[in-house]
Structure formats: C-alpha cells, structure tokens
Amino acid sequence: MTVTIAGLRFDRVRYDAEGDVLYLHRGDPATAVDFDESPEGHALRFDAAGELVGVTLIGARAGIDRDGQVSLTLPSRVIVGLDEIGEAIAA
C-alpha cells in the first residue's frame, strides 16, 4: 500500500489503531536524520539533504471521523482526507 500526500508518495505505511497513529515513510526509515514537529503536532522526518521522508499523523482516524480531514503543514498547510489515508486507517 502507498499513500500520497501533497505529491509525496509514501511507500512504507503502518497504522497503530490502538494509538490512532499513522506512520508514513518514503523508502528506508533509517534515512531520517533530522526531526521536527508540525504546528498541528505531527512528527516530520527529514533525510540528510533536508527532504521530507517521513510523517507521523497523530489522531488520523479521529480527525477523519470528526472533520473528514487531518491538517498538516509541510511547510504549507495540506488537507489530508479520506481519499489519501482511508485505506491505511481502515483497521
């Protein structure tokens, strides 16, 4: 399964239903060397070149169930909807 957000294709997808956390990564997770947090509280991971390689969406299902979307800033705000992550959170 893959998830595409803002033109970025994440090929490593894991959803923790108990914690309602969606882990997304592009390629090998070991490439992440720098970490940041989005204004919404989601974790962002970057490689040595400064490219975004991973996103951890906190409360992914809760956001979809409540608002029909999850907000994420990368650096501009992106709306992540059921079309993007529905399959991943269908636990």
Side-chain angles (χ1 to χ4, degrees):
M1 167 189 328
T2 64
V3 170
T4 301
I5 297 173
L8 300 171
R9 184 177 172 267
F10 297 93
D11 57 354
R12 303 240 179 154
V13 178
R14 185 174 66 86
Y15 179 62
D16 173 3
E18 186 174 320
D20 191 17
V21 179
L22 179 60
Y23 300 94
L24 306 171
H25 209 280
R26 298 169 57 204
D28 182 2
T31 62
V33 297
D34 193 16
F35 306 87
D36 201 357
E37 184 176 311
S38 75
E40 303 84 7
H42 306 296
L44 308 175
R45 296 180 299 283
F46 301 89
D47 66 11
E51 296 292 321
L52 180 72
V53 293
V55 174
T56 302
L57 292 175
I58 311 299
R61 177 176 289 284
I64 293 293
D65 289 349
R66 180 184 60 244
D67 304 323
Q69 63 189 26
V70 176
S71 292
L72 175 62
T73 303
L74 307 166
S76 60
R77 186 167 174 256
V78 176
I79 301 299
V80 181
L82 193 58
D83 288 345
E84 290 86 10
I85 64 171
E87 185 180 350
I89 64 172

